[in-house]
Amino acid sequence: QKGGYKHFMLKEIFEQPRVIHDCLLGRVDHATNEVSLPELDAMPVPKRLHIVACGTSFHAGLWGKQLIESWAKVPVNVEIASEFRYRQPILEPEDMVLAISQSGETIDTLAGLRLAKEQGVKVVGLCNVVGSTIARESNYVVYTQAGPEISVASTKAMCSQLTLLTLLALYWSRRKGLMADDERKKAMRGLLGLPEVLEASLPAMRDKARFLARTYSEAKSFFYLGRGLCYPLALEGALKLKEISYIHAEGYASGEMKHGPIALVDPKFPTFALALNDALYPKVKSNLIEVQARGGKIIALTHPGLDLSVDHPWLLPEVWGPLNAFLALPALQLFAYEVADYLGKDVDQPRNLAKSVTVE
Ligand code: F6R
C-alpha cells in the first residue's frame, strides 16, 4: 500500500509530480494555452472572493489570494473558517465564498459554507474527496483529483490546491480579458513543465532534507520566514514541522521580525528561510542578515546565482515566477518528514490529530 515507501507521508510527497499532472488533465489546452474549468462556466466572475478554510488548506488560500488578485483583479479575503463562522462577515450578493477542504468534511469550513448560503452568497467548493459533504453542499465544485491522502499531515493535497488556485486565477483573468498573452503563455508552459522538473528534483531534495534533519534535530524551536508568495509557505513549513516532529515552530512574514519575534533569536534558535529569486529577495536577505547578527543559524531555500550567505543554503531549480512554490513546498515537507522520522515519531499518525476534523 505504501508502494515501497516507509510512510504514507513520504509516498504522498513523491506523488506530487503526478498530482500536478492529473490536476492539469483536461483543464489546459496545449494548443491555445487556455485554461478551462467548465464546472465554473455558468457562474459569473465574483466581485469579491472570501476564501474559507483551515490549516494547510488555509495556507493554500493565502497563497492563491495573491495570484487571484494580481491576475484576475478580484479582491480576496482569506479567513480561518472557525473565525469566519462566528463573526458577522459582510457578504454582498455578487461576492462568492471559496471553501477549500481536502476531506470536504471539516466542520468549521462546512459551517462557513452554510453561513454564506444562508446569506444568499454562492459557494464554490475546492475539494479532494468526491461526494464529501462540502462538495455536495457547494453550489459549484472543483475537484483537486489528488487521489486519497492517507497521511494525517497534508502534503499532496496542498500541491493540488495550489495547482487549482493557479488555474482559477488564470481562468478568471481570461474571462475578464485581463492577462497579457505572453504572461499567460509563460504561466501555462511553466505549469505543464512542472511535473518533470519536480520529478527530477525530489530524490536530491530528500537527501538534502535528511542531512539537514540530522544537523538540526536538537533544536527546540524554529522560525520559518518568508515574504510575499513565500509567506504562506513559511506558515505551512512551520505547521508541518510542529505537527509531526513536535518541535515548536513559528511561521512569520520576515518583515515582522523586528516588531518583536527577533528577540527570541540566539545560536540555539534556528531559522528556516525562504529566499527565492523574486522581487522581495533583497528585503528577505536583509531580514536574514539581522537574524545572523543575533547569532541565529539559517537554512535557506534559495536559487542559484543569488548572493546569499547563510549556514545552509538549499538550492532549488528555478522555474517561472510564482510556480517556484511547487518546488519549495516539497522541500519544506521533506525537511519536516526527515526530522520527525529521525526523532522516531509516528509520522503518519501524529499524536492528538485526526485526518478530518468533524467536531469543533
Ligand atoms: C495539516 C493538516 C490540517 C488540515 C486541516 C483542514 O497537515 O492536515 O491542518 O489541512 O485540518 O483539513 P481539510 O483540508 O480536510 O479541510
Side-chain angles (χ1 to χ4, degrees), residues 54-57 100-106 109 152-154 161 236 239-240 243 355-357:
C54 303
T56 293
S57 298
I100 307 181
S101 176
Q102 185 285 128
S103 62
E105 303 296 344
T106 301
T109 310
V152 166
S154 184
Q161 290 161 349
E236 176 60 10
L239 177 62
K240 285 285 96 82
E243 71 176 324
K355 184 64 186 160
S356 54
V357 184

Side-chain angles (χ1 to χ4, degrees), residues 40-49 74 93-96 122 124 140 171-172 175-176:
L40 302 183
D41 283 347
M43 190 197 93
V45 179
K47 206 162 158 208
R48 282 198 313 161
L49 185 68
V74 174
E94 289 169 77
D95 289 1
M96 208 182 68
K122 294 276 190 276
V124 178
Y140 307 89
Y171 168 79
W172 280 335
R175 285 189 50 187
K176 288 173 82 172

Side-chain angles (χ1 to χ4, degrees), residues 100-178:
I100 307 181
S101 176
Q102 185 285 128
S103 62
E105 303 296 344
T106 301
I107 194 73
D108 286 319
T109 310
L110 180 60
L113 169 158
R114 287 179 178 157
L115 176 114
K117 285 178 80 182
E118 268 162 36
Q119 297 195 21
V121 168
K122 294 276 190 276
V123 177
V124 178
L126 184 57
C127 299
N128 192 42
V129 177
V130 176
S132 55
T133 312
I134 293 174
R136 277 187 282 111
E137 292 197 19
S138 295
N139 300 94
Y140 307 89
V141 195
V142 180
Y143 284 112
T144 47
Q145 302 174 174
E149 192 178 59
I150 311 292
S151 162
V152 166
S154 184
T155 56
K156 66 173 179 170
M158 182 166 180
C159 173
S160 68
Q161 290 161 349
L162 299 187
T163 309
L164 256 305
L165 287 162
T166 308
L167 292 178
L168 192 59
L170 288 167
Y171 168 79
W172 280 335
S173 87
R174 167 169 71 79
R175 285 189 50 187
K176 288 173 82 172
L178 285 176

